């Protein structure tokens, strides 16, 4: 695997995972099984209030080619074919959704020791073209993320980001929404043995002149149990506990309370993922 700055999506990812990953406000159940031929079959169910959503997906790996097919309750069929390293550092991804005839897309990812490029183009007569690139090394990286609509001739997305990393600290700065929003994030490893870390994200909107601050932390109670907590400037406080009761099988329960309206009921989420 190539070591370097990674892709543009990796800028601020550590802080985002700490602050937002695994927090659930609904009920989700996922079970994965494997056939004798090596095909992975995953069934998922999600309950959002009175609405229940489900999907079934299969994954087949043959040498460096991975094929994923997912069918949801709306009869949509999502297909993704990934070719890993047809050339050193290169990954090719082809995806489409049936019956959406305009959903076809080809994506290329290239990782280098000092750069990372991700580009995609829709398979239509007037496609949406996406490009993101990052240059640097394991310490400092600078990148941009662009989307161009050939139908209108306009840029639909124009972002830029900067990241700084050390052995125990990752800081990033991103300019999003065509310069209307700026976000700064921070991730600090306090104690590697217990995976104890703290993180924060500050976002400022120039158009609304609003600031949003979110801070959080995580800690391993034991090698199989993780606890996380976060609070934002709007008074929303959340916490979760996740236990790996068997390898790759996770049980997660999380809750959120509005500290500015304690009389309201807390939101409780539950997620169960089972793998053999």
């Amino acid at each position: 695997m190539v070591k370097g700055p990674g892709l543009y999506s990796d800028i601020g990812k550590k802080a985002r995972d700490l602050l937002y990953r695994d927090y659930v406000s609904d009920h989700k159940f996922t079970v994965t099984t494997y056939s004798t031929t090596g095909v992975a079959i995953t069934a998922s169910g999600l309950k959002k209030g009175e609405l229940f959503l489900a999907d079934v997906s299969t994954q087949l790996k043959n040498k460096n080619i991975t094929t994923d097919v997912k069918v949801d309750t709306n009869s949509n069929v999502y297909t993704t074919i990934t070719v890993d390293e047809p050339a050193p550092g290169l990954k090719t991804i082809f995806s489409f959704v049936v019956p959406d005839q305009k959903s076809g897309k080809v994506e290329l990812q290239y990782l280098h020791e000092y750069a990372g490029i991700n580009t995609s183009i829709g398979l239509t007569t007037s496609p949406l073209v996406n490009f993101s690139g990052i240059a640097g090394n394991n310490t400092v990286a600078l990148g941009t993320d662009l989307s161009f609509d050939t139908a209108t001739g306009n840029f639909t997305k124009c972002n830029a980001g900067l990241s700084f990393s050390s052995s125990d600290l990752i800081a990033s700065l991103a300019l999003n929404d065509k310069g209307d929003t700026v976000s700064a994030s921070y991730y600090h490893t306090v104690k590697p043995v217990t995976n104890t870390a703290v993180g924060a994200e500050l976002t400022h909107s120039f158009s609304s002149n609003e600031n949003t601050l979110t801070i959080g932390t995580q800690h391993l109670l034991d090698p199989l149990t993780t606890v996380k907590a976060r609070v934002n400037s709007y008074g929303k406080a959340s916490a979760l506990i996740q236990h790996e009761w068997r390898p790759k099988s996770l049980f997660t329960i999380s809750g959120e309370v509005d500290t500015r309206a304690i009389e309201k009921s807390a939101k409780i989420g539950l997620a169960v993922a089972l793998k053999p």
Side-chain angles (χ1 to χ4, degrees):
M1 181 178 292
V2 177
K3 291 184 178 180
L7 299 174
Y8 182 85
S9 57
D10 293 325
I11 294 180
K13 186 177 184 300
K14 274 282 191 178
R16 290 194 302 271
D17 286 349
L18 171 64
L19 296 173
Y20 306 111
R21 186 178 177 181
D22 295 326
Y23 286 95
V24 292
S25 58
D26 306 301
H27 297 164
K28 184 176 182 180
F29 181 81
T30 303
V31 58
T32 301
T33 59
Y34 295 90
S35 69
T36 55
T37 57
V39 178
I41 303 173
T42 302
S44 299
L46 176 66
K47 187 177 184 298
K48 298 175 65 71
E50 299 299 324
L51 183 65
F52 183 79
L53 304 173
D55 61 68
V56 176
S57 61
T58 61
Q59 183 181 83
L60 174 63
K61 293 183 178 181
N62 182 16
K63 296 182 180 179
N64 65 330
I65 301 176
T66 303
T67 303
D68 294 276
V69 180
K70 183 175 73 172
V71 182
D72 65 15
T73 49
N74 295 320
S75 299
N76 294 314
V77 181
Y78 302 81
T79 302
T80 303
I81 301 173
T82 303
V83 182
D84 193 18
E85 292 208 339
L90 183 66
K91 179 183 291 187
T92 304
I93 303 171
F94 172 61
S95 62
F96 60 91
V97 181
V98 177
D100 187 356
Q101 298 179 355
K102 298 181 179 180
S103 63
K105 183 176 70 172
V106 174
E107 180 178 353
L108 294 176
Q109 294 180 3
Y110 176 69
L111 294 176
H112 184 267
E113 185 179 359
Y114 300 109
I117 296 174
N118 187 8
T119 182
S120 67
I121 183 170
L123 301 180
T124 62
T125 54
S126 300
L128 184 67
V129 181
N130 297 282
F131 171 83
S132 66
I134 186 171
N137 51 35
N138 294 331
T139 302
V140 180
L142 176 66
T144 185
D145 184 21
L146 306 171
S147 290
F148 181 75
D149 191 342
T150 58
T152 62
N154 297 322
F155 283 95
T156 59
K157 182 169 63 174
C158 186
N159 304 328
L162 173 68
S163 176
F164 171 81
S165 303
S166 66
S167 59
D168 61 348
L169 172 67
I170 301 175
S172 65
L173 183 68
L175 191 63
N176 301 318
D177 302 325
K178 299 180 181 180
D180 181 63
T181 304
V182 60
S183 297
S185 66
Y186 162 85
Y187 177 93
H188 177 59
T189 302
V190 179
K191 193 174 182 180
V193 176
T194 58
N195 199 26
T196 304
V198 295
E201 182 183 60
L202 176 63
T203 301
H204 175 75
S205 173
F206 293 102
S207 58
S208 63
N209 199 31
E210 291 185 353
N211 296 316
T212 303
L213 174 65
T214 305
I215 59 175
T217 184
Q218 69 179 20
H219 175 72
L220 281 179
L221 294 178
D222 58 55
L224 300 177
T225 308
T226 301
V227 292
K228 296 173 65 175
R230 71 180 183 195
V231 63
N232 63 24
S233 54
Y234 295 104
K236 299 290 183 63
S238 306
L240 71 80
I241 182 169
Q242 184 178 79
H243 181 67
E244 187 177 12
W245 56 281
R246 57 179 298 176
K248 298 182 180 181
S249 294
L250 303 173
F251 175 83
T252 307
I253 183 169
S254 64
E256 180 184 272
V257 62
D258 188 347
T259 60
R260 298 181 180 179
I262 298 296
E263 69 279 2
K264 294 183 179 180
S265 300
K267 295 181 180 180
I268 303 297
L270 178 66
V272 179
L274 304 178
K275 290 188 178 182

